[in-house]
Amino acid sequence: MSAVIPVCEGVTKQVLNPGAPGAKAVSKGASVTVHCTGMLTDGMKKFWCTQDPGQRPFTFNAGVGQVIAGWDAGCMTMVLGEKSRITMTGDKGYGSGGFPAWKIPPNASLTFELEVLSIN
């Protein structure tokens, strides 16, 4: 496992699988499809996984604010085939409102394991 590196203030990344050498990088505005497991950093309690029964990969446009800030920042450093663990402080996640539907408390630090499946 690689070292934990800072992405930006409040966001770190640990590469679990680097993807292929020379693989296409995520770019601003690109349509990115990922497998994702989201966890509360405190206790690593899972709240969402695209590989659970009934779920499917998640697609979003990178770097344009369609997802929480920490996820966007972490994804913008990834390449096709890469799997990384992105950890963020509460202000880079769901902030003071939390996300009650997924039982994410206010200002919770979050960890996401993301795997880039496609970039268009």
Side-chain angles (χ1 to χ4, degrees):
M1 214 177 284
S2 69
V4 175
I5 57 170
V7 171
C8 64
E9 185 176 338
V11 181
T12 61
K13 172 181 163 179
Q14 182 177 29
V15 176
L16 305 175
N17 177 347
K24 182 177 182 177
V26 173
S27 59
K28 185 174 183 176
S31 177
V32 180
T33 300
V34 298
H35 268 313
C36 169
T37 300
M39 299 161 279
L40 297 173
T41 303
D42 182 17
M44 299 304 275
K45 183 178 179 189
K46 178 177 79 171
F47 56 81
W48 177 47
C49 181
T50 59
Q51 294 179 303
D52 283 349
Q55 297 292 313
R56 60 181 184 203
F58 181 75
T59 301
F60 66 101
N61 292 322
V64 296
Q66 286 188 344
V67 293
I68 56 177
W71 180 328
D72 236 357
C75 280
M76 291 295 295
T77 69
M78 296 179 73
V79 300
L80 184 63
E82 179 179 332
K83 183 175 183 179
S84 288
R85 182 173 293 141
I86 309 296
T87 300
M88 65 200 71
T89 54
D91 61 314
K92 299 293 184 177
Y94 292 102
S96 61
F99 192 36
W102 283 350
K103 296 183 172 68
I104 298 172
N107 301 312
S109 293
L110 304 174
T111 299
F112 289 91
E113 285 191 4
L114 300 174
E115 179 181 6
V116 179
L117 302 175
S118 69
I119 303 169
N120 296 304

